[in-house]
Structures are given as structure tokens and as C-alpha cells.
Amino acid sequence: MGVLDGKSALISGGGRGIGRAVALAFAAEGARVAVAARTRRQVEAVAAECGAGALVLELDVTDEASCRCAVEAVERELGGLEVLVNSAGIGTSQKFTELDAATWRQVLAVNLDGPFHLIRAAVPGMLARGSGTVISIASVAARRGAPYVAAYTASKHGLLGLTRALAAEYARSGLTFNCVCPGFVDTPMTEATVANIVARTGRTREQALATLVTPQGRLVRPEEVAAVCVLVASDAGRAINGAAIDVDGGQLQS
Ligand code: NAP
């Protein structure tokens, strides 16, 4: 018996990193999962790891029609959509005076418009069934400003705002909306951040990594983020609503 037995879940950004860990953890707890991202071979590999019946979906979250199709496919193939996990995301880093409008728009398109499109497509079916859970992977950047990440920080603050508004709007409808807010996690995205620091500052990889670790002296593991998502998605997590759950080794303490 798994705590997600009988639930179906769509995981955007499921091809690698945190989304992959969420897909594997959900499948291990008995959920039927749909793994979605743009890179088909990564999505197929994760779906295969999840076991028989996992759905492979090519998805670009910046494209409203693509999001609608993905939700429809899950509702059709898995008999409804119980849990939506928004993990697709991108990060950039630069001085604000080097942040151009195209980069700003791209980060907002993936990190904020993307969850909007998917949630907008998923909520009518959830309302019709009277139950549903939306979990968005935000960041400590949803709760505190930091230098050189204006677009990313704005997108994640927006995602938390969207989440809180919907948690209030649908509190009596059987739906929950939450953000999970990790510190730096050991994923390909963080590898890219380390490479960027090395390239810009001439520091070694170890020195760059040392600037990113949590107060526990290490990166967060993707499985630790996934474990929180399992709790929120399970029946035991039904009272968790409108929350921003830090998984940051004590970085924010808020
Ligand atoms: P990652 O390793 O780079 O994986 C990102 C995933 O998102 C990939 O599967 C990627 O697949 C997908 N994706 C990107 N753009 C997409 C698009 N337009 N449409 C559909 N899928 C798209 O990143 P991660 O570290 O797992 O991060 C996952 C989430 O956690 C992000 O929202 C990130 O902001 C957040 N987060 C990460 C950290 C961290 O330290 N890593 C910390 C806090 C929060 P394709 O490129 O193939 O589409």
C-alpha cells in the first residue's frame, strides 16, 4: 500500500532534477504518473524508471495549447488528474543592468505563465470531482530577494502569489494549492549555476559550490524535495493549503 494509491499525477519538468525525483517518489507510493517536458528522451527514461503505465508527454509550458493537451491526455489516459506538480523551470543570473527584456520575458513565461497555463487547464476537472492538489516548486527566491536574480525572484514571488490566491479562492472546494521552496538542490540546474560562477569569477568548482550550500553545509537532495511533495499530495496533507514550505536546511527560518 502506498500513500498515493489510486491518485494520478502530472509532473511538469519531470525529465530531470527535482521533477524526476517527484515522479519516482510518486510512482513508488502507488500513483499513476505522467512525466512531461520538452526533451522526449529524458521523459521516456524517467517514465521507464517509474514502471509500467507511466505516461510520456512532450510539453512546453510556455505554450497554452500544449498545457491544455497535456492535462487532457492525463484526464483521458489516467482517468482524471488528481495531483499537478509544477516543476518545469529555468534560472538565469546577471546584474540587473545586463538583464534584457527578452530574458525577463522568457523567465516569466516558463516559471510563472507555465504554472498558470497548467493550473488553468487542470482546475475545472478538479472542481468537477471536488478534489485536487497543485504543488508548485518555487524556491527560497519566492520569499526573499537576492542579488543578480531579479527575473527569477520576480517569477517565483509571482508563483507564490498565484498559489496563495487560489488556495483562498478554492479553500471550500476540496482543492489545495501549495509551494515547496527549496534552497540550492543537487540538480543539473545547480550544476549550470556552479559553472556560471566559475566562468564569471575564476573560482574553483569547490569554491563556487561553497557559496551555494545550505547552513547544513551541503546541497538539498532532490529526494528530500520529493518527500515533501508526497506528504502534501497524500490524504494526510489535505489541511496543508496556501503554504510555502521551505526545504532549505534552515536558510530562511521563516
Ligand atoms: P532542471 O534540472 O534544469 O530541470 C528542469 C526541468 O524543467 C527539465 O525537465 C526541463 O526539461 C523542464 N523545462 C524547462 N523548460 C521547460 C518548458 N518550457 N516546458 C516544459 N518543461 C520545461 O531544474 P531543477 O533543478 O530540477 O528545478 C526544478 C524546479 O525547481 C524549477 O522550477 C526551479 O526553479 C526550482 N528550484 C530549483 C532549485 C535548484 O537549486 N535546483 C532550487 C529551488 C527551486 P526540458 O528542458 O527538456 O523541457
Coordinates of all heavy atoms in Angstrom, one line a residue, residues 71 84 86 114-124 134 136 159 162-163 166 177:
V71 N -2.9 18.2 -20.0 CA -3.9 17.9 -19.0 C -5.0 17.0 -19.6 O -5.4 16.0 -18.9 CB -4.5 19.2 -18.4 CG1 -5.8 19.0 -17.6 CG2 -3.5 20.0 -17.6
L84 N -1.3 17.9 -9.6 CA -0.4 18.6 -10.6 C 0.8 19.1 -9.9 O 0.7 19.8 -8.9 CB -1.2 19.8 -11.2 CG -0.4 20.8 -12.0 CD1 0.3 20.1 -13.3 CD2 -1.2 22.0 -12.5
N86 N 4.0 21.4 -10.6 CA 4.7 22.3 -11.5 C 6.2 22.4 -11.1 O 6.6 23.0 -10.1 CB 4.1 23.7 -11.3 CG 2.8 23.8 -11.9 OD1 2.5 23.5 -13.1 ND2 1.8 24.3 -11.1
G114 N 3.8 29.4 -17.2 CA 3.7 27.9 -17.4 C 2.8 27.4 -16.3 O 1.8 26.7 -16.6
P115 N 3.1 27.6 -15.0 CA 2.2 27.1 -14.0 C 0.7 27.6 -14.2 O -0.2 26.9 -14.0 CB 2.8 27.6 -12.7 CG 4.3 27.6 -13.0 CD 4.3 28.1 -14.4
F116 N 0.6 28.9 -14.6 CA -0.7 29.5 -14.8 C -1.5 28.6 -15.9 O -2.6 28.2 -15.6 CB -0.7 30.9 -15.3 CG -2.0 31.4 -15.8 CD1 -3.0 31.7 -15.0 CD2 -2.1 31.5 -17.2 CE1 -4.3 32.1 -15.5 CE2 -3.3 32.0 -17.7 CZ -4.4 32.2 -16.9
H117 N -0.8 28.4 -17.0 CA -1.5 27.6 -18.1 C -1.9 26.2 -17.6 O -3.0 25.7 -17.9 CB -0.6 27.4 -19.3 CG -0.2 28.7 -20.0 ND1 -1.2 29.7 -20.2 CD2 0.9 29.1 -20.5 CE1 -0.6 30.7 -20.9 NE2 0.7 30.4 -21.1
L118 N -1.0 25.5 -16.9 CA -1.3 24.2 -16.4 C -2.4 24.2 -15.4 O -3.3 23.3 -15.4 CB 0.0 23.5 -15.9 CG 0.9 23.0 -17.0 CD1 2.2 22.5 -16.4 CD2 0.3 21.8 -17.8
I119 N -2.3 25.1 -14.4 CA -3.3 25.1 -13.3 C -4.7 25.5 -14.0 O -5.7 24.9 -13.6 CB -2.9 26.2 -12.3 CG1 -1.7 25.7 -11.5 CG2 -4.1 26.3 -11.3 CD1 -1.1 26.8 -10.6
R120 N -4.6 26.5 -14.9 CA -5.9 26.9 -15.5 C -6.6 25.7 -16.3 O -7.8 25.6 -16.3 CB -5.6 28.0 -16.5 CG -6.8 28.7 -17.2 CD -7.7 29.4 -16.2 NE -8.9 29.8 -16.9 CZ -9.9 29.0 -17.2 NH1 -9.9 27.7 -16.9 NH2 -11.0 29.5 -17.8
A121 N -5.8 24.9 -16.9 CA -6.3 23.7 -17.6 C -6.8 22.6 -16.6 O -7.7 21.9 -16.9 CB -5.3 23.1 -18.5
A122 N -6.1 22.5 -15.5 CA -6.4 21.4 -14.5 C -7.6 21.7 -13.6 O -8.3 20.7 -13.2 CB -5.2 21.1 -13.7
V123 N -7.8 22.9 -13.2 CA -8.7 23.2 -12.2 C -10.2 22.8 -12.5 O -10.9 22.3 -11.6 CB -8.6 24.7 -11.7 CG1 -9.9 25.2 -11.0 CG2 -7.4 24.9 -10.8
P124 N -10.7 23.0 -13.7 CA -12.1 22.7 -14.0 C -12.4 21.2 -13.7 O -13.4 20.9 -13.0 CB -12.3 23.0 -15.5 CG -11.3 24.1 -15.7 CD -10.1 23.8 -14.9
V134 N -2.5 21.0 -6.2 CA -1.5 21.6 -7.0 C -0.3 21.9 -6.2 O -0.4 22.6 -5.1 CB -2.0 22.8 -7.7 CG1 -0.9 23.5 -8.5 CG2 -3.2 22.5 -8.6
S136 N 3.5 23.5 -6.5 CA 4.4 24.2 -7.4 C 5.8 24.3 -6.7 O 5.9 24.8 -5.5 CB 3.9 25.6 -7.7 OG 2.7 25.5 -8.4
L159 N 4.7 33.2 -8.5 CA 4.2 31.9 -8.4 C 3.6 31.7 -7.0 O 2.5 31.1 -6.9 CB 5.3 30.9 -8.7 CG 4.9 29.4 -8.6 CD1 3.8 29.0 -9.5 CD2 6.2 28.5 -9.0
L162 N 0.3 33.6 -6.9 CA -0.8 32.9 -7.6 C -1.3 31.7 -6.7 O -2.5 31.5 -6.6 CB -0.2 32.3 -8.9 CG -1.1 31.3 -9.7 CD1 -2.3 32.1 -10.2 CD2 -0.3 30.7 -10.9
T163 N -0.4 31.0 -6.1 CA -0.7 29.9 -5.3 C -1.6 30.3 -4.1 O -2.6 29.6 -3.8 CB 0.6 29.2 -4.8 OG1 1.3 28.7 -5.9 CG2 0.3 28.0 -3.8
L166 N -5.2 31.2 -5.1 CA -6.0 30.1 -5.5 C -6.4 29.3 -4.2 O -7.5 28.7 -4.1 CB -5.3 29.2 -6.5 CG -5.1 29.9 -7.9 CD1 -4.4 29.0 -8.8 CD2 -6.4 30.5 -8.5
F177 N -3.6 24.2 -2.8 CA -2.5 24.8 -3.7 C -1.4 25.2 -2.7 O -1.6 25.9 -1.8 CB -3.1 26.1 -4.3 CG -4.2 25.9 -5.3 CD1 -5.5 25.8 -4.8 CD2 -4.0 25.7 -6.6 CE1 -6.5 25.5 -5.7 CE2 -5.0 25.5 -7.5 CZ -6.3 25.4 -7.0

